[in-house]
């Protein structure tokens, strides 16, 4: 190693001195360093450059007995020793500047002052050595030799940096990682090389090391500047983002406040814009929009109704409009667009206002554009605005239930609304409704006061196969006034689990009342097929004010046991059919019901646990073919056995929506699945897709990739006719084709053409199809392989 350095020493020294000179010159054009530090670094780089330059001359002219050689050898060695001390002094200035600037010290450590003074003393000793030969001398052949005090010349270059290092360690936290690394290298690399040079005479590795660490000091300083600049840029970006968020928050608050002020004039509109905006953001995100695009949709939705301020109040408050008034209302999008067009920084805002009243079929306003010509922001807002409008109370109507809203979206998909946005909206609605339905026990009022009969009725308590216990205390305050006073229960079905007595809300929520029962055994049967009620006395209850109801349901029969101080009522109720839901509502007359508690002890009822008082209503007493007939009274409450799909399969069947059906999805469903026994919900069950013949589909993306298509052909008669035809009964034909893990399905009914292609992701070799549905009878099922 040292032989190699010795051989190419002069070339290495020339290259290092040239590099150091280059970096020194670059410092003159460096803009990001403070002036004082820049001057110190320039000083250090040039000292290191000339140190190695003169060291190289000393080697070149060593042994040269000419007058030039005589002079240059002495001059060169003098500057080598002097500049070595100069490097210590320059580094001391650099370290002092770091402490003043980064370390924020007001007074330098005395150790640094000592090192600085010692470096100057060292330069003085070098001068003395020229006359005494203390450090070195030359023979008659002009060769350099170490003097008797040579080792003393290493005292300051070695001890000085060690003292400087103690200062560096003390103030380590004041330096950046890169600067600290360069300081340590600057100190210890030359020291290590100095120790080696003691034993390797004739190789100037110390001076080369000093030049190298001087170069590294520049490099590390430059890298530190870059990190500082990057950090400053990042901080600047953080501050900029904070400012942007602040501006965005201010804009949001201003826009929200402005719309709230507009909506304040119409009590039924309060909060409407905010709800539409929040839902629009959710839908946009579900549709794969970026965060920035979701924000645009949000703010466009927030301000989409701003044109209301240009429509007379008397028109907006009307339930029915004349043609002339409707034409005035149709100006709202243009007014809103004109207002928002002045916000030139956000041109997308006027898009929501101008186009959210356009229809997908081109029959909207103001421009009558259709399909994808309508900006996607407006297509999203249109659906979300309709949802919020339908699900919230208005001046002239109550809010509409989930089922009604869902059906409206299905009916208007491809007509008023974008089918893709509708599909997303229905998915969100189904998730929310599913979460609600999983909670069988709703929050029931703790207290009800009824002066007039049915003045207040509790929220409906659902009846199911799980036994439910209802307890409350009753204060019959009417008895003191000589009036009839008693609690009672109502049995009913309603989409929203509430009792209704208004024709409009009864129709909207499909309200059906089965009957009423009192705790003394009196009852009224309304829409129940049959009701049998028995009353018998029992021993006094420990608590005379306590009333207990124990209820359960199996299929289309209800069992209700009502206990009070008067006695026990046992009631069995036969519903119109199994498709109906059933709820108990607590009410009464001249009484106060308090401490109401609803619990489920954990018991369940099954076949034979409830006495039958009416035959089961059946609509499948028809021809039975290859597969057993099935009646599906509630959503997927029953299904046919699985039919294995080979290469090709044709499935023919008769489907009839039950008389109680009322919604477009009360129709047959086609279920593609796998299970070990070929049965729905069997062992190892995996569901790939559920296709409803009204054109809806759901699938598990983890199990399959699904490409679904539903088209309404020219012969589609409209949804109301389609529902009526399904009630009359229809013949269905479905084609299946299986190639490897790819399954294709095709069917057509009353102008609805469905095609679906699934690519299975699992390794199931067998795939089954089963028929199910909602409020539908499936008969005469024929298989053709």
């Amino acid at each position: 190693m040292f032989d190699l350095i010795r051989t190419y020493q002069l070339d290495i020294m020339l290259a290092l001195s040239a590099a150091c000179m280059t970096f020194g010159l670059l410092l003159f054009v460096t803009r990001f360093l403070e002036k004082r530090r820049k001057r110190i670094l320039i000083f250090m780089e040039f000292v290191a450059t000339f140190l190695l330059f003169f060291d190289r001359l000393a080697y070149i002219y060593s042994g040269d007995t000419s007058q030039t050689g005589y002079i240059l050898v002495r001059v060169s060695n003098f500057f080598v020793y002097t500049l070595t001390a100069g490097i210590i002094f320059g580094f001391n200035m650099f370290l002092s500047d770091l402490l003043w600037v980064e370390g924020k010290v007001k007074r330098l450590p005395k150790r640094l002052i000592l090192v600085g003074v010692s470096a100057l003393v060292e330069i003085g000793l070098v001068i003395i050595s020229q006359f005494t030969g203390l450090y070195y001398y030359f023979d008659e052949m002009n060769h350099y030799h170490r003097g008797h005090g040579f080792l003393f010349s290493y005292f300051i270059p070695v001890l000085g940096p060690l003292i400087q290092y103690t200062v560096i360690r003390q103030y380590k936290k004041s330096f950046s990682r890169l600067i600290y690394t360069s300081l340590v290298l600057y100190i210890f690399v030359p020291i290590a090389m100095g120790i080696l040079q003691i034993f390797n005479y004739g190789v100037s590795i110390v001076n080369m090391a000093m030049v190298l660490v001087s170069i590294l000091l520049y490099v590390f300083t430059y890298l530190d500047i870059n990190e500082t600049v990057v950090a400053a840029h990042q901080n600047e970006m953080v501050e900029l983002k904070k400012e942007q968020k602040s501006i965005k928050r201010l804009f949001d608050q201003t826009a929200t406040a402005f719309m709230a002020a507009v909506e304040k004039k119409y009590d039924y509109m309060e909060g409407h814009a905010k709800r539409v905006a929040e839902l629009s953001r959710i839908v946009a995100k579900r549709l794969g929009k970026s965060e920035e695009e979701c924000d645009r949709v949000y703010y466009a939705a927030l301000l989409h109704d701003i044109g209301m301020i240009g429509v007379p109040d008397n028109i907006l408050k009307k339930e029915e409009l004349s043609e002339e008034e409707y034409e005035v209302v149709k100006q709202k999008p243009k007014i809103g667009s004109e207002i928002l067009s002045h916000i030139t920084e956000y041109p997308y805002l006027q898009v929501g206002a101008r186009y959210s009243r356009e229809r997908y079929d081109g029959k909207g306003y103001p421009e009558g554009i259709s399909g994808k010509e309508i900006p996607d922001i407006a297509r999203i807002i249109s659906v979300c605005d309709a949802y919020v409008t339908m699900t919230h109370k208005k001046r002239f109507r109550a809010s509409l239930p989930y089922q009604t809203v869902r059906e409206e979206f299905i009916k208007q998909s491809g007509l008023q609304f974008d089918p893709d946005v509708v599909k997303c909206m229905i998915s969100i609605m189904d998730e929310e409704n599913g979460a609600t339905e999983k909670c069988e026990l709703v929050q029931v009022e703790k207290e009800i006061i009824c002066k007039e009969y049915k003045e207040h009725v509790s929220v409906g308590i659902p009846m199911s196969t799980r036994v439910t216990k209802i307890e409350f205390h009753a204060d019959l305050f009417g008895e003191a006034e000589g009036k009839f006073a008693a609690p009672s229960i109502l049995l009913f079905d309603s989409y929203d689990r509430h009792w209704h007595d208004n024709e409009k809300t009864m129709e909207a929520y499909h309200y059906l009342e089965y009957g009423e029962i009192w705790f003394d055994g009196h009852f009224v049967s309304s829409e129940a097929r049959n009701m049998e009620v028995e009353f018998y006395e029992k021993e006094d209850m420990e608590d005379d004010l306590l009333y207990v109801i124990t209820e359960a349901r199996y299929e289309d029969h209800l069992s209700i046991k009502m206990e009070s101080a008067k006695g026990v009522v046992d009631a069995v109720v036969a519903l119109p059919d199994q498709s109906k839901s059933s709820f108990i509502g607590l009410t009464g007359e001249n009484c106060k019901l308090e401490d109401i508690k609803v619990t489920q002890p954990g018991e369940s009822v099954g076949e034979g646990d409830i006495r039958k008082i009416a035959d089961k209503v059946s609509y499948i007493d028809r021809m039975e073919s290859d597969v057993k007939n099935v009646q599906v009274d509630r959503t997927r409450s029953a299904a046919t056995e699985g039919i294995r799909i080979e290469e090709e399969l044709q499935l023919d069947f008769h489907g009839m929506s039950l008389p109680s059906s009322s919604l477009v999805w009360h129709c047959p469903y086609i279920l593609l699945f796998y299970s070990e026994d070929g049965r729905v919900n069997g062992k190892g069950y995996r569901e790939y897709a559920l296709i409803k013949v009204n054109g809806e589909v759901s699938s598990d993306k983890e199990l399959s990739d699904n490409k679904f298509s539903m088209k309404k052909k020219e012969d589609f008669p409209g949804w109301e006719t389609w529902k009526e035809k399904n009630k009359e009964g229809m013949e269905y034909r479905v084609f299946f084709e299986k190639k490897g893990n790819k399954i294709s399905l095709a069917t057509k009914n009353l102008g609805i053409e469905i095609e679906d292609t699934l690519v299975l992701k699992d390794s199931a070799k067998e795939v089954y199809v089963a028929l199910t549905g909602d409020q539908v009878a499936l008969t005469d099922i024929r298989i053709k392989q």
Side-chain angles (χ1 to χ4, degrees):
M1 177 68 176
F2 285 101
D3 290 337
L4 180 65
I5 294 174
R6 187 177 286 108
T7 302
Y8 297 101
Q9 182 173 227
L10 295 178
D11 294 332
I12 295 171
M13 294 168 78
L14 180 63
L16 286 173
S17 60
C20 200
M21 173 65 77
T22 302
F23 287 124
L25 293 173
L26 286 173
L27 280 166
F28 281 102
V29 295
T30 300
R31 301 172 57 186
F32 296 107
L33 276 174
E34 186 267 331
K35 289 183 179 181
R36 175 184 172 85
R37 188 166 300 176
K38 182 193 289 190
R39 287 196 295 266
I40 294 171
L41 280 172
I42 290 173
F43 171 79
M44 293 176 70
E45 295 298 325
F46 277 98
V47 166
T49 298
F50 285 112
L51 170 66
L52 208 56
F53 174 75
F54 283 114
D55 199 16
R56 185 173 182 272
L57 286 179
Y59 277 98
I60 291 174
Y61 287 98
S62 178
D64 186 342
T65 57
S66 67
Q67 185 177 2
T68 301
Y70 182 88
I71 295 171
L72 286 176
V73 164
R74 283 158 178 75
V75 170
S76 297
N77 279 282
F78 171 75
F79 278 110
V80 166
Y81 278 84
T82 302
L83 293 176
T84 300
I87 282 184
I88 303 299
F89 186 78
F91 185 69
N92 211 60
M93 289 193 297
F94 182 77
L95 186 54
S96 299
D97 186 63
L98 285 174
L99 292 177
W100 279 325
V101 178
E102 274 81 355
K104 308 295 183 185
V105 298
K106 294 181 179 179
R107 298 182 62 183
L108 289 176
K110 292 180 179 180
R111 286 164 290 170
L112 280 187
I113 297 173
L114 176 64
V115 171
V117 172
S118 299
L120 294 175
V121 170
E122 173 69 10
I123 294 173
L125 290 173
V126 172
I127 295 172
I128 294 171
S129 177
Q130 304 306 304
F131 305 102
T132 61
L134 178 65
Y135 288 165
Y136 60 87
Y137 64 92
F138 302 95
D139 61 17
E140 64 278 3
M141 297 303 296
N142 205 26
H143 285 114
Y144 167 90
H145 293 280
R146 292 174 177 176
H148 62 277
F150 170 75
L151 288 178
F152 189 72
S153 69
Y154 275 79
F155 182 77
I156 298 301
V158 172
L159 187 59
L162 290 176
I163 294 173
Q164 289 169 336
Y165 179 69
T166 63
V167 176
I168 293 169
R169 285 292 301 175
Q170 180 181 347
Y171 293 95
K172 179 180 178 181
K173 293 182 179 179
S174 301
F175 310 130
S176 68
R177 176 181 54 84
L178 287 171
I179 291 297
Y180 179 77
T181 302
S182 68
L183 296 177
V184 173
L185 290 174
Y186 199 91
I187 287 174
F188 288 105
V189 170
I191 290 176
M193 294 301 103
I195 295 171
L196 290 174
Q197 182 154 347
I198 293 174
F199 305 102
N200 291 275
Y201 185 71
V203 182
S204 188
I205 55 176
V206 173
N207 292 340
M208 285 190 283
M210 285 184 174
V211 173
L212 182 62
V213 294
S214 295
I215 293 172
L216 289 176
L217 187 64
Y218 169 85
V219 172
F220 278 81
T221 301
Y222 187 77
L223 292 175
D224 183 63
I225 291 171
N226 279 351
E227 281 196 356
T228 303
V229 171
V230 169
H233 177 69
Q234 289 176 341
N235 290 336
E236 196 174 296
M237 291 303 295
V238 168
E239 291 301 316
L240 182 61
K241 287 181 179 178
K242 285 182 179 178
E243 188 176 341
Q244 287 176 335
K245 286 182 179 179
S246 178
I247 293 172
K248 182 179 175 182
R249 187 163 53 249
L250 178 61
F251 177 74
D252 181 37
Q253 292 171 351
T254 303
T256 303
F258 180 74
M259 288 308 300
V262 174
E263 294 172 346
K264 196 75 175 177
K265 297 164 65 178
Y266 319 105
D267 53 353
Y268 64 91
M269 287 292 291
E270 282 192 59
H272 178 86
K274 187 73 172 177
R275 287 189 288 266
V276 174
E278 290 173 348
L279 182 59
S280 296
R281 188 200 292 275
I282 293 170
V283 171
K285 189 173 183 179
R286 290 282 190 102
L287 292 172
K289 302 291 184 185
S290 66
E291 190 66 30
E292 183 180 353
E293 289 173 320
C294 289
D295 283 344
R296 290 181 178 181
V297 172
Y298 174 86
Y299 290 113
L302 187 63
L303 295 168
H304 81 282
D305 257 345
I306 197 172
M308 283 196 305
I309 63 176
V311 180
D313 294 352
N314 65 314
I315 293 179
L316 288 174
K317 291 179 179 180
K318 276 192 173 185
E319 181 177 8
E320 295 183 4
L321 302 176
S322 65
E323 289 186 14
E324 293 78 8
E325 289 169 333
Y326 184 59
E327 288 300 319
V328 173
V329 171
K330 287 170 67 174
Q331 297 305 307
K332 186 175 72 168
K334 291 182 179 180
I335 296 169
S337 176
E338 288 173 6
I339 293 171
L340 296 174
S341 65
H342 296 288
I343 307 178
T344 55
E345 289 295 319
Y346 306 112
Y348 57 85
L349 292 177
Q350 66 169 318
V351 171
R354 187 171 187 83
Y355 298 108
S356 61
R357 291 294 181 268
E358 298 287 358
R359 288 173 55 100
Y360 199 77
D361 58 8
K363 296 179 180 179
Y365 59 89
E367 296 181 13
I369 56 177
S370 63
K372 303 300 180 181
E373 293 177 349
I374 305 170
D376 55 353
I377 287 179
R379 284 182 270 126
I380 292 171
I381 294 172
S382 177
V383 170
C384 296
D385 182 46
Y387 175 82
V388 173
T389 299
M390 288 188 284
T391 56
H392 287 79
K393 184 178 180 181
K394 295 301 177 186
R395 184 183 299 276
F396 303 106
R397 65 155 176 82
S399 59
L400 300 179
Y402 156 80
Q403 294 87 343
T404 303
V405 176
R406 190 182 193 279
E407 182 175 54
E408 186 64 18
F409 277 130
I410 292 173
K411 288 180 176 180
Q412 294 301 323
S413 177
L415 298 176
Q416 183 176 351
F417 306 120
D418 181 340
D420 294 331
V421 183
V422 166
K423 182 179 178 182
C424 181
M425 186 72 252
I426 288 177
S427 175
I428 294 171
M429 290 175 62
D430 289 348
E431 289 173 13
E432 291 179 350
N433 186 65
T436 301
E437 288 188 343
K438 283 181 182 178
C439 182
E440 290 189 6
L441 285 180
V442 296
Q443 188 68 37
V444 180
E445 300 90 329
K446 297 295 183 183
E447 182 180 285
I448 296 173
I449 300 176
C450 298
K451 293 182 179 179
E452 301 293 330
Y453 181 51
K454 297 183 184 178
E455 182 180 357
H456 294 289
V457 180
S458 75
V459 64
I461 301 164
M463 304 183 71
S464 67
T465 55
R466 296 183 65 183
V467 175
T468 300
K469 191 173 184 180
I470 308 166
E471 298 175 277
F472 61 88
H473 288 87
D475 175 13
L476 309 181
F477 58 77
E479 289 183 342
E481 302 173 10
K483 298 178 181 179
F484 174 78
S488 63
I489 65 171
L490 300 178
L491 303 174
F492 65 91
D493 181 18
S494 175
Y495 283 165
D496 67 347
R497 298 183 177 183
H498 284 82
W499 172 75
H500 295 281
D501 62 348
N502 176 278
E503 286 188 16
K504 287 187 176 180
T505 58
M506 290 174 70
E507 182 181 355
Y509 290 95
H510 288 229
Y511 180 79
L512 186 66
E513 192 168 300
Y514 305 125
E516 307 161 54
I517 307 176
W518 283 262
F519 280 83
D520 61 1
H522 287 83
F523 69 94
V524 174
S525 178
S526 302
E527 298 295 330
R529 277 194 296 147
N530 193 8
M531 183 182 292
E532 292 185 2
V533 178
E534 297 179 1
F535 174 80
Y536 54 90
E537 295 182 354
K538 58 175 291 188
E539 295 181 3
D540 292 342
M541 296 181 68
E542 294 181 4
D543 187 345
D544 290 342
L545 302 178
L546 178 64
Y547 292 75
V548 181
I549 303 169
T550 306
E551 51 94 340
R553 168 179 175 165
Y554 184 75
E555 293 184 344
D556 58 354
H557 275 61
L558 311 179
S559 171
I560 304 166
K561 184 178 182 181
M562 304 167 63
E563 300 174 82
S564 68
K566 292 182 178 181
V568 178
V569 175
D570 271 329
V572 177
V573 181
L575 301 179
D577 55 50
Q578 292 188 53
S579 68
K580 302 300 181 186
S581 295
S582 50
F583 302 96
I584 287 180
L586 303 179
T587 186
E589 184 176 357
N590 293 314
C591 62
K592 176 182 178 181
L593 312 186
E594 52 191 358
D595 302 324
I596 301 172
K597 292 189 296 185
V598 180
T599 57
Q600 289 182 326
E603 304 169 18
S604 296
V605 296
E607 183 73 40
D609 290 333
I610 299 177
R611 179 169 52 90
K612 294 287 185 180
I613 60 173
D615 293 333
K616 183 177 180 179
V617 179
S618 176
Y619 298 96
I620 57 174
D621 188 16
R622 291 171 51 91
M623 179 185 294
E624 197 164 83
S625 298
D626 299 326
V627 178
K628 188 177 179 181
N629 295 343
V630 170
Q631 181 170 314
V632 189
D633 293 293
R634 302 169 70 81
T635 307
R636 296 182 61 177
S637 60
T640 66
E641 63 185 53
I643 303 163
R644 184 176 176 182
I645 302 176
E646 303 290 348
E647 293 182 357
E648 291 184 349
L649 172 68
Q650 178 180 309
L651 198 59
D652 296 296
F653 63 93
H654 182 271
M656 183 188 77
S657 298
L658 302 185
S660 58
S661 65
S662 58
L663 302 167
V664 293
W665 60 86
H666 290 162
C667 61
Y669 300 171
I670 302 160
L671 184 60
L672 297 173
F673 70 97
Y674 165 80
S675 68
E676 293 180 14
D677 59 1
R679 294 183 178 277
V680 177
N681 297 319
K683 187 177 180 181
Y685 182 75
R686 295 195 294 273
E687 186 170 308
Y688 300 115
L690 177 71
I691 299 98
K692 302 178 183 180
V693 297
N694 69 318
E696 294 184 71
V697 66
S698 60
S699 60
D700 191 332
K701 293 181 180 179
E702 293 184 1
L703 296 178
S704 65
D705 290 324
N706 194 355
K707 186 178 180 181
F708 180 81
S709 169
M710 187 277 267
K711 297 178 182 177
K712 296 175 188 172
K713 311 302 284 187
E714 291 183 0
D715 57 341
F716 177 66
W719 286 110
E720 293 305 316
T721 302
W722 189 87
K723 288 195 294 184
E724 289 303 317
K725 291 291 184 182
N726 271 277
K727 280 190 176 184
E728 294 172 7
M730 290 177 51
E731 295 295 326
Y732 290 89
R733 173 169 290 176
V734 188
F735 297 96
F736 301 88
E737 185 178 21
K738 184 175 185 292
K739 292 183 179 179
N741 67 334
K742 181 179 178 181
I743 299 173
S744 300
L745 171 154
T747 185
K748 183 177 179 181
N749 67 88
L750 275 180
I752 295 181
E753 188 175 88
I754 295 173
E755 293 181 356
D756 192 23
T757 302
L758 285 93
V759 179
L760 308 185
K761 295 181 180 180
D762 61 10
S763 57
K765 295 181 180 179
E766 298 176 345
V767 178
Y768 297 89
V769 58
L771 298 178
T772 181
D774 190 353
Q775 297 195 36
V776 66
L778 305 169
T779 59
D780 192 19
I781 305 168
R782 306 177 299 281
I783 303 171
K784 184 177 180 181
Q785 296 281 8

